[in-house]
Amino acid sequence: MGKITGFMEHERIEEGYKPVEERLKHYKEFVVALTPEQAKVQGARCMDCGTPFCNNGCPVNNIIPDFNDLVYRQDWQNAFAVLDSTNNFPEFTGRICPAPCEAACVLNVNDDAVGIKSIEHAIIDKAWEEGWVTPRPAKHKTGKKVAVVGSGPAGLAASQQLARAGHDVTLFEKNDRVGGLLRYGIPDFKMEKSHIDRRVEQLKAEGVTIKTGTVVGNWPKDSKVTNWAKNTVASEELLKEFDAVLLTGGAEQSRDLPVPGRDLDGIHFAMEFLPQQNKVNAGDKLKGQLRADGKHVIVIGGGDTGSDCVGTSNRHGAASVVQFEVMPRPPEEENRPLTWPYWPIKLRTSSSHEEGCEREFAISTKEFIGEKGKVTGLKTVRVEFKDGKLVEIPGTEVVMKADLVLLAMGFVNPVASVLESFGVDKDARGNAKATTEFDGGYTTNVPKVFAAGDMRRGQSLVVWAIREGRQAARAVDEFLMGFSDLPR
């Protein structure tokens, strides 16, 4: 694949970033993508490794060596055809996926992995520029109707696949715009929402009916959700009107931190903070937007959501930003012979961290401190592993100043009322209980009700949501037609 000796002749080329002082002034993307020539060089580094572990490292099983080779040969249109055959939305994953494929790259055993993600990014951007991404409506209709509930990456992928199979698909979304956490959880500086918008137009051209501002489920009339939603649809209505229902909502129940002082003003979930800025960027007028201007911000949670809070706080003009992680500081480099081809634990520094952030590891919050009902600080303690458990280190308690605390410790399960309204059984973690076996895959205990994405597997990556949406679409198609030509 590529150039036989390319991996020995060429080094990995990383995508660049625009200067920090420039990008902090706006919410636009700031990644400097590879040039066609740079992408060709990266494609040349792909080894003739015999067993491409990158394929299995990728949740959607992208045929990576093939499109690497095609980019090396500058056959961009066929490279896009290969990429498009396994991934409905490479422009999403090419921007925000952590690239488990690169961790699994054979070259990564003792060298720098092939820049697979940057090649994917280059392919799909060129495909859009050249007009190769076009609607593919079904040639024949089946007469079957499918309701897809939730328009995140799982719902979008499933809707597109089912529409291309000839079914009449209606996609329901409770928010005012399509995209789920792609739209309101991921900051615009990581992925501009125009990428979602043009995919929405593609889905409409392929026959998908989209209903935004519509809450599905048997919600109380005075609930917070039904107060801001335009429409509500009872689960019984969907079961009566549609031949199959696929639940693809997100795991939106944020993990809380129930310590003394939690009720003080100034302590918010990340998903209270991040969506507001995305709505403002989209042109919405918000009263009392939650902002970090001039504040000492502490972000509790060391993952991607916490990093997104860091980047947004810096763009607001925070006085300081500190990010907490309860786990010990990971090593700078992983032990590759031990971890390859699996996802390694190592220190990961995001572009948001580089923009200005102090990171604290092995630290736990014992109490929120406040004055006049508002948070002013956190009482913290250092922790360490002892006998397999995290325990406090005596004498390490300190109080850290904070005017705004953002809880970004992950999500525990989907909003329970949606599953309960359909009578779907839940697993021990509160997710929809559904098998992934292809024979009856993604089925729940309720006849003709399926579940996929974060609603089924719990909090996960966008690329996993796309995979589950595609596979669930095949399962629904088989249920409706007795067979399916959709790819697995």
Side-chain angles (χ1 to χ4, degrees):
M1 307 304 300
K3 186 179 182 182
I4 298 301
T5 57
F7 70 96
M8 295 186 291
E9 298 173 20
H10 304 294
E11 295 182 354
R12 176 184 171 96
I13 304 173
E14 299 278 357
E15 290 182 318
Y17 295 141
K18 293 181 180 177
V20 170
E21 59 273 13
E22 176 184 334
R23 67 195 198 223
L24 283 179
K25 297 176 182 177
H26 58 75
Y27 293 89
K28 299 292 186 181
E29 293 177 10
F30 52 81
V31 170
V32 180
L34 300 186
T35 66
E37 186 58 36
Q38 288 174 326
K40 176 181 178 178
V41 170
Q42 281 305 289
R45 296 184 71 238
C46 188
M47 306 169 67
D48 186 9
C49 58
T51 303
F53 286 84
C54 56
N55 285 16
N56 289 336
C58 172
V60 293
N61 300 122
N62 279 338
I63 311 169
I64 294 165
D66 290 37
F67 68 63
N68 283 348
D69 179 57
L70 288 163
V71 168
Y72 167 65
R73 301 180 189 282
Q74 297 291 277
D75 187 352
W76 289 89
Q77 191 162 4
N78 277 322
F80 165 66
V82 171
L83 178 57
D84 184 63
S85 71
T86 56
N87 188 349
N88 295 69
F89 314 117
E91 63 270 42
F92 301 166
T93 52
R95 285 168 168 80
I96 60 177
C97 185
C101 56
E102 294 186 11
C105 174
V106 172
L107 190 54
N108 194 50
V109 172
N110 61 356
D111 201 347
D112 293 329
V114 174
I116 300 167
K117 178 180 173 180
S118 60
I119 293 174
E120 179 181 21
H121 186 179
I123 293 170
I124 187 59
D125 280 8
K126 188 170 185 63
W128 278 106
E129 291 169 6
E130 298 292 337
W132 300 332
V133 186
T134 58
R136 300 207 301 269
K139 295 180 180 179
H140 305 285
K141 286 290 190 177
T142 65
K144 301 292 186 180
K145 299 173 66 178
V146 183
V148 179
V149 182
S151 71
L156 290 171
S159 296
Q160 185 165 69
Q161 295 296 95
L162 288 165
R164 289 175 175 177
H167 305 304
D168 291 320
V169 180
T170 302
L171 178 60
F172 295 89
E173 169 56 50
K174 69 178 185 297
N175 288 308
D176 56 347
R177 297 181 181 92
V178 170
L181 291 181
L182 280 172
R183 172 78 63 177
Y184 289 128
I186 296 171
D188 289 2
F189 56 80
K190 288 181 68 174
M191 192 187 83
E192 294 175 18
K193 304 316 175 230
S194 57
H195 303 299
I196 303 173
D197 295 337
R198 60 187 180 185
R199 284 295 185 179
V200 169
E201 293 306 310
Q202 183 189 31
L203 262 65
K204 289 179 179 177
E206 292 175 344
V208 177
T209 300
I210 298 175
K211 294 187 177 181
T212 56
T214 303
V215 174
V216 173
N218 304 329
W219 296 79
K221 291 185 178 180
D222 60 346
S223 72
K224 291 181 179 179
V225 173
T226 54
N227 285 341
W228 55 255
K230 296 178 183 177
N231 307 294
T232 57
V233 180
S235 53
E236 293 82 2
E237 293 181 49
L238 289 192
L239 292 171
K240 182 178 179 180
E241 181 180 352
F242 292 90
D243 298 298
V245 176
L246 175 57
L247 306 178
T248 56
E252 296 182 302
Q253 194 68 48
S254 299
R255 182 174 283 107
D256 207 346
L257 185 59
V259 299
R262 172 64 181 86
D263 57 346
L264 291 168
D265 287 342
I267 305 170
H268 301 271
F269 289 118
M271 290 309 298
E272 295 176 73
F273 178 68
L274 295 173
Q276 290 190 7
Q277 186 57 56
N278 284 8
K279 290 182 178 182
V280 170
N281 294 346
D284 293 353
K285 303 295 183 183
L286 299 185
K287 292 183 179 179
Q289 181 192 356
L290 180 60
R291 293 188 59 89
D293 309 65
K295 295 179 180 177
H296 297 281
V297 180
I298 291 183
V299 179
I300 301 180
D304 288 340
T305 303
S307 175
D308 294 342
C309 290
V310 170
T312 302
S313 296
N314 280 325
R315 280 161 179 76
H316 283 182
S320 66
V321 183
V322 182
Q323 185 178 21
F324 283 6
E325 170 55 65
V326 71
M327 300 299 289
R329 184 184 181 93
E332 296 280 347
E333 288 289 335
E334 72 272 32
N335 185 335
R336 296 186 184 187
L338 178 66
T339 60
W340 180 88
Y342 301 108
W343 187 248
I345 295 175
K346 67 175 182 178
L347 182 65
R348 302 179 190 277
T349 300
S350 73
S351 58
S352 293
H353 295 140
E354 294 170 352
E355 292 165 359
C357 173
E358 182 181 344
R359 304 172 74 181
E360 295 284 352
F361 293 90
I363 190 169
S364 179
T365 302
K366 295 193 68 174
E367 181 181 355
F368 294 111
I369 309 297
E371 294 179 4
K372 299 179 180 180
K374 294 185 178 181
V375 68
T376 58
L378 284 71
K379 183 181 288 185
T380 67
V381 64
R382 297 291 173 177
V383 293
E384 64 179 350
F385 269 108
K386 197 170 185 178
D387 298 326
K389 297 186 297 183
L390 278 175
V391 297
E392 297 180 3
I393 301 175
T396 61
E397 290 187 7
V398 297
V399 174
M400 300 186 67
K401 182 178 178 60
D403 307 307
L404 175 62
V405 179
L406 301 172
L407 305 179
M409 302 176 294
F411 306 89
V412 290
N413 50 250
V415 178
S417 53
V418 178
L419 299 177
E420 291 168 357
S421 68
F422 281 94
V424 172
D425 287 345
K426 293 179 281 188
D427 63 18
R429 298 184 299 159
N431 302 316
K433 192 174 183 180
T435 178
T436 58
E437 296 298 323
F438 286 113
D439 183 11
Y442 297 89
T443 55
T444 69
N445 61 298
V446 181
K448 75 179 186 181
V449 176
F450 298 73
D454 285 7
M455 183 162 279
R456 189 203 68 81
R457 67 179 290 118
Q459 175 192 358
S460 192
L461 303 175
V462 168
V463 68
W464 270 108
I466 294 173
R467 172 199 171 102
E468 294 228 340
R470 288 172 61 90
Q471 292 189 334
R474 180 183 170 91
V476 171
D477 190 35
E478 284 182 331
F479 166 75
L480 295 174
M481 307 303 295
F483 69 96
S484 179
D485 291 328
L486 290 175
R488 293 182 186 275

